[in-house]
Amino acid sequence: MMMMTKQTPPLHAGNDPSPLQQKNYRTGLVYDERMTLHKCSFDLNHVEHPDRVSKMYDYLQEEGLVSRCVRIIAGPATEEVVLLVHSPEYIAQVQAWQKEAEVDPNQNPCKLEEGSPTYLSPHVYNCAMLAVGCAIKLVEAVLQGEVDNGLAIIRPPGHHAEMDEAVGFCFFNNTSIAARYAQTELNVKRILILDWDIHHGNGTQHAFYSDPSVLYLSLHRYDQGKYFPYMDESNFSAVGEGKGEGFNVNVAWNKGSEVIGDLEYIAAFHRIVLPVAQEFNPDLVLVSCGFDAAKKDPLGRCNVTPGCYAYMTHHLKSLAQGKLVLILEGGYNVQEMSECMAACSRVLLGDAPPTVASGIPTRISETSIANTIQAHRKYWKCLQDHRPSSLPDD
C-alpha cells in the first residue's frame, strides 16, 4: 500500500503574494570558456557537450543578462579543496585519465550509463578542477558580500560523482565541494542543497547522508528504481542515517505515462521543499541546478517550464537572507536550458517572478509527495499536520 493525499484543490501559484519586496540585486555570474575544451572525441552527438555552457552564456548575453550581472573571475580549485569530498587516490586517478587521454583520446575506461559513456578527454582533469574552482569562488563572493546571489555556468556537472568514482558524466562533485568549502573556510553552519536535476544526485546524498548540518532535498525521476542512477536509495525511504537522519529528503517521481511538469513541481515545492527549508533555517542555499526536467529534454522527458524554475528560484531568495547560488548540473536541450537559466537569472537580479499555471497535479505525483511527507513527518514539525489516506498503488 502506498500513501496518497485526498484530492487536492487546484494550485494557484501565480496568485501567491511575493515573499520579497522587488529591488535590484547584485547577481554574480561565473563562466570560463576553457570548460568547453572537455569534449567527446568519438561521439560528436554526445549529450554532454561544450555547447551546453557556451550557448547558454551566449543566450544570456543576447538577452542582456550578462551585462546586468557581476562577473566573477575564477581559476582551478586546488587539490586540497577537492579533498574535502573526494579521496586522494581518486583525484590521482582523474589526473591519470587525462594523461592517458592525451595519448589516446578515444579510450574510455569509464562504464557506460544511460546508453551513453562518461567519456574522458585530454582536458578532463583541468576542466573538472576549473568547474569546482568556479563554484567555490562564486559561493565565496556571495558569503563575503561581494554579490547577493549568483549562478555558475559550469561543466562537467558534478552531483553524481562519488567520493572515489566518476558517474553520470560527473568527475568532481562541484556543489558538495562548494558546501564543504563554505563550512570549513567561510564559517557557514547550515546549508540547504536543493537538487532539481531530473536525475537523483547520488553522490551528493552519499556525501552528507549522516550530516545534520547539510539538508539535501532532491526532486527527481525514480520510476520504481528503473531510472538513472538506478539505486534503491534514490527513493523516498532514504532519509539519512545517524545524526543525519531526517536531513535527506527525496521526492521520487514515478513517471509512468503521466507528464511531470509545473503543477507537480510547484506542489512539491510548497508542500515539502519550502516548509522544510524554512524550518531548517539555512545560512546558505545551493541549488544543484539541472534543467533536464524541462520540456523537450531528451533524457528527462518531462515538461517543467522556465517560468516554474524562475518561480522556485524567486521563493528560495526568501531563505538564508537571500544567499542563494545556482550551480549548473544537467540539461541536454541547449535552447530550453538556456531559456530556463535566463528566467532564473532575471528573478535573481530582482525582476518580478512569473505567473505559473494553476490546476491539479497528477495522481501519481500526489502519491510521490505523500510518501515523502509520510517518511519525514516525525522529523519536521511543518509536515506533522499532513493527514494522508491509504490508497492502492497503481
Side-chain angles (χ1 to χ4, degrees):
M1 301 287 286
M2 301 285 281
M3 306 303 292
M4 182 175 170
T5 55
K6 297 176 182 178
Q7 189 174 27
T8 308
L11 294 169
H12 296 285
N15 298 325
D16 285 354
S18 170
L20 301 164
Q21 291 184 345
Q22 294 305 303
K23 70 170 191 176
N24 292 325
Y25 290 83
R26 295 169 300 160
T27 296
L29 186 156
V30 64
Y31 168 73
D32 192 313
E33 66 180 357
R34 289 177 292 175
M35 286 180 285
T36 64
L37 294 173
H38 176 56
K39 61 185 71 174
C40 187
S41 62
F42 55 87
D43 181 3
L44 298 180
N45 295 316
H46 196 288
V47 292
E48 206 296 281
H49 54 82
D51 283 356
R52 295 181 57 248
V53 292
S54 61
K55 298 292 187 185
M56 174 181 285
Y57 180 78
D58 290 346
Y59 184 79
L60 295 188
Q61 278 193 313
E62 293 166 6
E63 292 294 304
L65 294 166
V66 171
S67 61
R68 295 177 61 190
C69 293
V70 178
R71 287 299 304 274
I72 304 298
I73 306 303
T78 64
E79 185 173 318
E80 180 182 12
V81 168
V82 179
L83 283 167
L84 292 170
V85 170
H86 297 283
S87 70
E89 295 80 11
Y90 174 64
I91 296 171
Q93 177 64 76
V94 181
Q95 286 179 302
W97 283 337
Q98 175 166 299
K99 291 178 181 177
E100 292 166 6
E102 288 171 355
V103 176
D104 181 7
N106 291 316
Q107 69 171 316
N108 182 48
C110 294
K111 62 185 179 183
L112 298 181
E113 293 150 353
E114 283 196 76
S116 190
T118 300
Y119 62 89
L120 304 181
S121 79
H123 303 280
V124 60
Y125 177 78
N126 291 344
C127 289
M129 292 294 276
L130 184 55
V132 174
C134 287
I136 63 172
K137 187 67 175 178
L138 180 57
V139 167
E140 189 175 66
V142 169
L143 291 171
Q144 293 182 343
E146 181 181 344
V147 294
D148 299 310
N149 54 48
L151 56 132
I153 301 176
I154 60 174
R155 66 179 288 273
H159 71 152
H160 294 308
E162 300 280 4
M163 177 189 72
D164 56 1
E165 185 180 4
V167 182
F169 318 146
C170 303
F171 295 91
F172 298 138
N173 199 315
N174 307 311
T175 302
S176 294
I177 297 169
R180 282 290 184 232
Y181 182 83
Q183 291 183 319
T184 59
E185 301 298 321
L186 300 167
N187 243 4
V188 175
K189 302 301 182 186
R190 295 182 307 280
I191 298 175
L192 164 66
I193 298 177
L194 173 60
D195 190 337
W196 65 41
D197 189 284
I198 195 60
H199 304 93
H200 179 241
N202 53 284
T204 308
Q205 173 168 300
H206 292 152
F208 303 109
Y209 203 60
S210 59
D211 186 348
S213 71
V214 177
L215 171 62
Y216 178 64
L217 208 160
S218 179
L219 308 170
H220 56 267
R221 274 185 66 179
Y222 179 63
D223 295 3
Q224 307 293 354
K226 296 179 180 179
Y227 193 74
F228 186 86
Y230 313 114
M231 295 180 176
D232 290 343
E233 60 262 43
S234 300
N235 206 3
F236 67 89
S237 53
V239 299
E241 64 183 10
K243 292 182 178 180
E245 187 174 342
F247 292 89
N248 192 87
V249 184
N250 287 326
V251 180
W253 305 124
N254 293 303
K255 183 173 181 293
S257 61
E258 296 183 333
V259 174
I260 302 296
D262 290 4
L263 294 176
E264 291 68 39
Y265 272 73
I266 291 168
F269 188 79
H270 279 295
R271 296 178 202 164
I272 299 174
V273 175
L274 205 53
V276 170
Q278 289 168 339
E279 187 173 332
F280 179 66
N281 191 24
D283 303 307
L284 172 68
V285 179
L286 303 178
V287 178
S288 270
C289 185
F291 292 120
D292 39 7
K295 58 184 180 180
K296 300 181 184 178
D297 188 273
L299 299 188
R301 300 190 178 188
C302 293
N303 199 33
V304 180
T305 66
C308 181
Y309 286 116
Y311 178 87
M312 292 190 290
T313 300
H314 172 74
H315 284 273
L316 290 173
K317 287 165 62 182
S318 66
L319 303 168
Q321 296 182 311
K323 296 181 177 67
L324 170 64
V325 176
L326 276 53
I327 300 173
L328 184 64
E329 296 284 0
Y332 305 99
N333 180 304
V334 172
Q335 183 62 35
E336 290 295 331
M337 64 187 290
S338 298
E339 292 178 11
C340 290
M341 186 62 94
C344 293
S345 302
R346 291 187 182 97
V347 296
L348 287 177
L349 286 160
D351 293 359
T355 298
V356 291
S358 62
I360 297 175
T362 60
R363 187 175 186 273
I364 197 166
S365 70
E366 291 275 26
T367 301
S368 296
I369 292 169
N371 285 337
T372 301
I373 291 173
Q374 185 68 7
H376 282 272
R377 285 180 65 195
K378 63 181 177 180
Y379 307 116
W380 301 99
K381 292 180 181 179
C382 61
L383 302 180
Q384 289 173 6
D385 289 337
H386 179 73
R387 295 290 182 268
S389 58
S390 296
L391 292 174
D393 184 24
D394 287 340

